[in-house]
Amino acid sequence: MGTETESMRGNIVLSGFMGCGKSTIGRRLAAALGMKFVDMDRYIEEKAGLKVREIFEQYGEAHFRALETETVRALAAGEDCVVATGGGTLMRPENVEAFHAGGGTIYFLDVPLAALQERLKNDKRRPLLQVPDRRAVIERLLNERRPQYLKSADVVVDAGAPTVVVVRRLCALRGVELPKRTAPPQQSGPEKEKRRRKRRRRKRPAPPQENS
Ligand code: S3P
């Protein structure tokens, strides 16, 4: 677990498009920095007793956006934590202002369009993506939103890399060096041979059954 410097106070706010890794990266980053982690979608779901999809279906998107703003205000005023925003949260300038006013730093996790389309191709959870022309919707929304992600961000992070790499980058930006993971010990000769034989045995087809 690392120790941040004094100047690194305030919420760490992760922003970016759906599928950019805000939740996975946020959880790992919080663990590495010894901070609390809040996923805004899960927080809203717990408070409302409904899934995000159900909130959209039963009350509409505008209601969900109002719940987001309420949540941003509460988080900005609370104890420092790593916050995974929803992909649409920072489209509202008042949400950006509230995070900044609370001393938070906004990190935009920038992932290329093609990678987002691939990561989101089987999604069943996000209401905005339950459409027949999903790839086109992702492209349109990203083009609309990217300028605002860039404008609201204090730091833009290239987040197309594997999670562990992005977490390491974010830690470094907070002045914390994560220890490099040591390589697993090499298997010795006889051990290696034993495993190879076992694998071969598993692959061998079963002998034909005799008819009785
Ligand atoms: C949304 C993104 C979702 C969730 C809701 C709306 C958006 O969060 O808040 O479905 O408008 O981009 P994730 O970015 O965590 O998927």
Side-chain angles (χ1 to χ4, degrees):
M1 192 186 293
T3 316
E4 291 188 291
T5 57
E6 280 296 296
S7 59
M8 293 289 180
R9 287 250 175 92
N11 285 321
I12 296 178
V13 180
L14 301 182
S15 111
F17 201 78
M18 295 174 263
C20 73
K22 300 178 293 282
S23 304
T24 313
I25 290 165
R27 194 168 293 111
R28 295 212 195 163
L29 179 65
L33 300 177
M35 291 172 77
K36 195 177 138 195
F37 170 67
V38 178
D39 183 311
M40 280 190 50
D41 284 342
R42 302 293 87 78
Y43 179 104
I44 291 171
E45 286 181 342
E46 268 167 38
K47 290 236 155 187
L50 291 169
K51 296 282 175 206
V52 169
R53 183 178 38 78
E54 294 167 329
I55 301 174
F56 269 67
E57 280 165 10
Q58 295 176 28
Y59 300 97
E61 182 174 347
H63 180 71
F64 175 75
R65 299 299 173 199
L67 294 179
E68 277 191 314
T69 297
E70 230 175 71
T71 306
V72 168
R73 290 200 189 120
L75 294 175
E79 75 170 286
D80 289 355
C81 54
V82 176
V83 181
T85 60
T89 310
L90 298 185
M91 296 303 111
R92 274 197 180 181
E94 64 185 290
N95 294 346
V96 176
E97 278 156 31
F99 273 132
H100 278 151
T105 306
I106 298 175
Y107 296 84
F108 166 38
L109 304 185
D110 197 11
V111 174
L113 170 66
L116 293 172
Q117 285 170 324
E118 179 59 27
R119 290 184 195 182
L120 294 166
K121 70 178 181 201
N122 296 319
D123 179 83
K124 301 217 169 17
R125 194 166 51 86
R126 296 171 172 94
L128 298 179
L129 300 183
Q130 307 317 305
V131 289
D133 53 345
R134 176 176 300 189
R135 287 179 71 84
V137 168
I138 294 171
E139 182 169 9
R140 177 178 56 75
L141 273 179
L142 183 66
N143 284 337
E144 275 169 26
R145 289 175 171 189
R146 200 163 174 279
Q148 175 62 13
Y149 289 135
L150 288 168
K151 187 170 159 217
S152 58
D154 299 295
V155 185
V156 178
V157 182
D158 174 4
T163 304
V164 55
V165 176
V166 182
V167 171
R168 193 177 291 283
R169 269 181 204 154
L170 284 159
C171 280
L173 287 166
R174 305 292 293 188
V176 172
E177 286 301 326
L178 282 188
K180 281 238 173 344
R181 233 203 284 153
T182 45
Q186 289 288 316
Q187 271 163 5
S188 64
E191 255 319 289
K192 214 171 174 180
E193 180 57 23
K194 243 198 310 198
R195 289 176 74 95
R196 203 165 59 88
R197 279 213 209 110
K198 203 168 163 193
R199 265 202 310 273
R200 256 204 251 139
R201 262 203 309 274
R202 255 191 259 128
K203 274 192 201 151
R204 219 177 279 155
Q209 297 283 316
E210 278 184 34
N211 289 331
S212 51

